[in-house]
Structure formats: structure tokens, C-alpha cells
Amino acid sequence: MTEWTTLPGLSPYLATVAAMETRIEAIHKGEANEAVWLLEHPPLYTAGTSAKAADLVEPNRFPVYTTGRGGQYTYHGPGQRVVYAMLNVGNRGRDVRCFVRALENWCIATLAEFNVRGEVRPGRVGVWVVRPDHPPNPDGSSNEAKIAAIGVKLRRWISFHGISINIEPDLTHFSGIVPCGISDHGVTSLVDLGLPVTMADLDAALMATFPRFFPESGGINPSCAN
């Protein structure tokens, strides 16, 4: 059984990560169920294991935290739903690529609940949307923007960290970093796309689509390996 918790207010980063680590240890020992935490952080930047110093454009703008998750620099802040997924990947096939793909597909299915077509791109982590309302790129390709980020870590086959989906964050806050090391594409949100989606709306969509990719019986939907 997966336990869902919505944390109120703005969750301090270090205390939340420490609580996650305590929970994943309990899951590993069989003393706690898998868990998904839904929360918001105060404005901050996190540096993943592949972060490059040059991508931290404004180091004094917000607090910067080094984190063990995969990926590069990411922004978290109010108006962005952070989803920390503490799942037993050891009981779900021990296939890390499939697990990450399942997280991507979960994001895409959640966005589809609001008629937003999210897509993944080779060599670009996260979920992207095409912006036909914006001018095309200089090479003639469609303008695209990132709407969801993914960064996970596994310890003893238990996952932590997870995904973040932009609902209505201050998009100017992303300018203090090169988000995920990608400088030639922008960042967007559901409200920026013209959709008046609330946190409660998104949370309901996340919960409704979750079982498609992470069945309570264990394992991962085989389609996620595609």
C-alpha cells in the first residue's frame, strides 16, 4: 500500500530530505509502507550529481543545496508541486530505466488530465510541451518548454526525491540557473499555458493516474519500458 501525504505550507528543504531518508530506511526494513509526499518548497536551487558550476548563474539569489539525486540544477519554489516518491524499486523489477520511464509516463498522464500533451526528448531530462504560440527556433524547429523535472536517487533499491510539476511558480526564478543544463529551451507552467489549475486539481490527477504505472500489487507497468 502506498501512503499519500500532503504537507502544508512551505517545507524546509534539509529537514524534508532528512525525513525522506528516515522513511526510506524504514521502508527498506519493512517497517513502513511506500510513500508519496506532495509539497512545496520555499524558493531554492538544488544541484544534482551532474551539476556544472557554470550553470549556477546567480549563486546568491536563493539558497543552493547540493543533493544526491541525479540531474543538474533545478529550481523549487511556491506554485510548483514537488512529488517525493519513496517506492521499493527492488520489488518493482529492479530496472532503473524502466522506473524513470514510469515516472515520466506518470507526469505525462497527469498532464493529459488537463489536455496538455507532455513529451520526452532524447538527451533532455524531464517532460516538455510544444509552444505553437511562440515563434519557432532559428533552425525552424518548434519552440518547446519544460513543464516537469525528474531527479531520483536509489538507496538499497528504495527511491527518493522524484518529480516536480510547474503549476504557477514565478518563472523568472528559473533565470538564476541553467535549468537541467539546457539553455536553448524555456520553462513553462500550467497557468502559463492558460490553464487555471490548482494544487488540489493536480494532486487529484496525480493520485488518479499513479496506479497505471505503479500497481499496488508491485512491479511497474510493462509499457514503461517502451
Side-chain angles (χ1 to χ4, degrees):
M1 176 181 176
T2 303
E3 294 181 2
W4 291 74
T5 302
T6 302
L7 302 180
L10 300 179
S11 300
Y13 186 76
L14 292 179
T16 305
V17 171
M20 260 199 300
E21 292 179 339
T22 298
R23 181 58 179 255
I24 66 169
E25 183 65 20
I27 294 170
H28 170 70
K29 292 178 178 179
E31 298 171 351
N33 291 327
E34 295 180 312
V36 176
W37 293 353
L38 306 173
L39 57 107
E40 294 174 86
H41 284 306
L44 58 91
Y45 298 129
T46 64
T49 55
S50 302
K52 300 174 183 176
D55 288 343
L56 182 58
V57 180
E58 298 182 46
N60 298 318
R61 186 169 185 179
F62 297 123
V64 180
Y65 298 100
T66 299
T67 178
R69 62 156 176 81
Q72 302 187 42
Y73 279 103
T74 298
Y75 166 77
H76 293 312
Q80 179 192 74
R81 177 51 92 206
V82 175
V83 183
Y84 286 143
M86 289 153 275
L87 303 176
N88 191 331
V89 182
N91 290 343
R92 294 180 178 275
R94 295 196 172 209
D95 187 328
V96 178
R97 285 189 180 182
C98 189
F99 177 69
V100 172
R101 183 61 176 157
L103 291 174
E104 291 173 340
N105 285 346
W106 181 27
C107 285
I108 290 169
T110 298
L111 294 171
E113 294 289 296
F114 307 101
N115 296 315
V116 173
R117 182 181 175 85
E119 301 176 294
V120 294
R121 293 288 183 263
R124 281 196 254 147
V125 179
V127 177
W128 301 78
V129 295
V130 175
R131 299 298 305 265
D133 54 323
H134 286 197
N137 296 319
D139 63 1
S141 61
S142 298
N143 189 293
E144 297 179 342
K146 190 172 190 176
I147 195 166
I150 297 173
V152 296
K153 182 176 181 178
L154 269 63
R155 181 178 297 164
R156 296 177 178 175
W157 289 104
I158 310 298
S159 70
F160 60 121
H161 296 285
I163 65 179
S164 60
I165 300 176
N166 297 331
I167 301 177
E168 192 179 10
D170 186 335
L171 295 178
T172 66
H173 289 181
F174 286 89
S175 64
I177 57 172
V178 178
C180 298
I182 299 169
S183 59
D184 53 351
H185 295 280
V187 180
T188 191
S189 68
L190 288 165
V191 171
D192 184 49
L193 294 174
L195 300 168
V197 177
T198 67
M199 284 284 176
D201 294 333
L202 186 75
D203 292 349
L206 285 163
M207 293 180 195
T209 55
F210 180 82
R212 298 184 205 171
F213 309 102
F214 305 100
E216 288 296 345
S217 59
I220 295 173
N221 189 317
S223 67
C224 296
N226 297 333

